């Protein structure tokens, strides 16, 4: 699997599902792709840059993540200049960390750069995590080891060149279903909510069990005639919430803290044409799916 085309590192990112999602979009004949929980938006960006869809709509309720994508689309040159000018140092890290404490009152460009800086200098790209190498920088790797300015700038330039085909939102995903998804009937939506079990340790915005249950009910009741998938960590309570829907179990490699392999669920709306594992593996043997 090729590396993500997104400038962001993201815990739980689903870029490894890109080839499979691309084929689902093809057989369902959709040209608008939607991510209500964008995060690093690895699948969305790859679909866009490879011209697999005409338009992507990405949303994230976390204002830090939203501000980064907003800046890529609306202020790419200013964002790039900030990257060029910044010193990758602990002094800068403390400065950018402080900005996150006031993120509701900070302008999008300043907050967007802060998000990128911390994403590239923190462990596993987690904004709320500690800095790579520790605050005394005595670790094997230092805070600049994931901050290749030229590669990050190149990615931002490629994405911003397609800005006319990108829509950015900063809404609660539950409300986003009504305000955006329902108004785009000819679309394919990839729901990737915060993890059920480890969400609190990975994300700034995470869900309670009640939130997960309410989301499941909302998706099933409101979007029964739409084409979508939902991915989740492998948990019996989640399976119960999506009872009655077709699903697959697939392997995903996690990189937060240490590299490991886990099983996740992928649920499908009843309106979605599904490629089952044996069909898919004939095309892409690098992704392992099982029913």
């Amino acid at each position: 699997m090729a590396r993500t085309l997104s400038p962001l590192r993201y815990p739980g990112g689903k870029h490894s599902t890109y080839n499979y999602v691309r084929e689902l979009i093809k057989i369902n004949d959709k040209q608008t792709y939607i991510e209500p929980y964008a995060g690093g938006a690895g699948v969305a960006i790859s679909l866009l840059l490879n011209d697999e869809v005409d338009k992507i709509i990405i949303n994230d309720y976390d204002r830090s993540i939203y501000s980064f994508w907003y800046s890529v689309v609306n202020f790419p040159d200013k964002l790039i200049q900030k990257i060029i000018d910044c010193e990758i140092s602990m002094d800068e890290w403390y400065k950018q960390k402080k900005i996150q404490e006031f993120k509701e009152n900070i302008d999008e460009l300043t907050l967007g750069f802060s998000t990128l800086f911390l994403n590239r200098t923190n462990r596993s790209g987690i904004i709320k995590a500690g800095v790579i190498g520790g605050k005394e920088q005595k670790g094997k790797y230092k805070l600049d080891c994931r901050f290749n300015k030229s590669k990050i700038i190149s990615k931002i330039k490629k994405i911003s060149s397609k800005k006319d085909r990108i829509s950015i939102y900063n809404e609660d995903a539950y409300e986003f279903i009504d305000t955006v998804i329902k108004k785009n009937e000819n679309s394919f939506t990839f729901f990737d909510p915060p993890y059920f079990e480890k969400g609190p340790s990975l994300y700034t915005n995470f869900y309670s069990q009640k939130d997960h249950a309410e989301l499941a009910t909302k998706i099933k009741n409101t979007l029964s005639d739409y084409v979508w998938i939902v991915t989740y960590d492998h948990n019996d309570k989640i399976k119960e919430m999506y009872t009655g829907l077709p699903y697959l179990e697939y392997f995903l490699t996690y990189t937060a803290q240490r590299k490991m392999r886990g099983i996740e669920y992928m649920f499908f709306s009843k309106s979605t044409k599904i490629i089952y594992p044996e069909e898919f593996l004939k095309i892409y043997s690098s992704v392992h799916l099982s029913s």
Side-chain angles (χ1 to χ4, degrees):
M1 175 64 65
R3 290 185 177 274
T4 178
L5 300 178
S6 170
L8 295 181
R9 305 157 61 218
Y10 212 76
K14 295 303 186 295
H15 183 253
S16 61
T17 66
Y18 166 70
N19 286 334
Y20 185 63
V21 172
R22 179 183 65 181
E23 296 304 312
L24 286 177
I25 290 172
K26 285 181 181 178
I27 68 167
N28 285 279
D29 193 26
K30 303 299 180 185
Q31 283 301 315
T32 296
Y33 174 81
I34 305 174
E35 285 190 7
Y37 302 88
V43 174
I45 297 304
S46 293
L47 289 169
L48 177 70
L49 296 184
N50 292 328
D51 290 317
E52 300 290 351
V53 294
D54 293 334
K55 180 181 181 181
I56 63 171
I57 301 174
I58 58 178
N59 172 74
D60 206 293
Y61 186 62
D62 185 337
R63 191 167 183 272
S64 295
I65 302 299
Y66 160 77
S67 293
F68 170 74
W69 289 117
Y70 185 89
S71 298
V72 169
V73 171
N74 294 283
F75 312 118
D77 293 338
K78 292 181 178 179
L79 180 61
I80 288 170
Q81 193 59 52
K82 281 183 172 290
I83 295 170
I84 293 171
D85 293 342
C86 80
E87 179 183 353
I88 309 172
S89 65
M90 283 306 301
D91 285 345
E92 187 68 23
W93 184 86
Y94 281 113
K95 174 184 174 181
Q96 300 305 328
K97 191 79 170 175
K98 192 70 176 178
I99 287 172
Q100 294 292 323
E101 296 178 15
F102 304 96
K103 66 180 182 180
E104 297 306 322
N105 301 310
I106 299 292
D107 66 273
E108 286 88 352
L109 178 60
T110 301
L111 183 59
F113 173 72
S114 170
T115 301
L116 174 66
F117 187 92
L118 294 174
N119 174 264
R120 303 308 307 191
T121 57
N122 281 3
R123 296 192 303 273
S124 302
I126 302 172
I127 302 301
K128 61 194 293 184
V131 63
I132 298 171
K135 292 181 179 179
E136 295 183 4
Q137 290 294 281
K138 292 182 178 179
K140 180 179 179 181
Y141 298 101
K142 311 304 180 187
L143 80 164
D144 63 350
C145 70
R146 303 292 186 191
F147 209 128
N148 185 313
K149 290 187 178 185
S150 61
K151 287 185 178 180
I152 294 169
I153 289 170
S154 176
K155 289 180 177 182
I156 290 173
K157 285 181 176 179
K158 288 177 182 178
I159 296 167
S160 64
S161 72
K162 308 276 189 181
K163 64 182 181 180
D164 293 340
R165 295 162 56 189
I166 306 173
S167 294
I168 313 289
Y169 290 87
N170 177 215
E171 298 185 12
D172 179 271
Y174 191 93
E175 304 299 331
F176 182 76
I177 290 172
D178 291 320
T179 60
V180 177
I181 300 176
K182 284 184 64 178
K183 296 178 181 178
N184 286 272
E185 295 183 16
N186 190 32
S187 61
F188 182 101
T189 302
F190 188 164
F191 288 94
D192 183 32
Y195 281 134
F196 183 76
E197 294 181 7
K198 296 185 178 181
S201 66
L202 295 175
Y203 312 111
T204 303
N205 296 302
F206 53 88
Y207 281 4
S208 65
Q209 183 170 327
K210 180 183 177 183
D211 293 328
H212 287 290
E214 290 179 348
L215 176 68
T217 300
K218 179 73 171 179
I219 292 173
K220 292 190 294 182
N221 292 348
T222 306
L223 301 175
S224 59
D225 295 329
Y226 289 70
V227 173
W228 47 261
I229 60 175
V230 179
T231 53
Y232 258 113
D233 41 333
H234 202 266
N235 184 281
D236 289 341
K237 291 180 180 178
I238 290 296
K239 188 176 180 181
E240 290 174 10
M241 293 177 192
Y242 290 88
T243 296
L245 293 179
Y247 72 92
L248 297 176
E249 296 169 295
Y250 70 101
F251 292 103
L252 183 71
T253 299
Y254 303 93
T255 55
Q257 296 180 356
R258 63 190 180 91
K259 194 169 185 179
M260 58 184 294
R261 205 164 177 239
I263 300 176
E264 295 204 357
Y265 282 122
M266 181 180 289
F267 300 96
F268 303 81
S269 72
K270 292 182 179 179
S271 298
T272 302
K273 295 178 182 176
I274 304 172
I275 304 173
Y276 285 97
E278 60 274 13
E279 301 171 56
F280 183 70
L281 291 172
K282 291 176 183 177
I283 309 171
Y284 299 109
S285 59
S286 61
V287 177
H288 304 284
L289 296 165
S290 60
S291 58

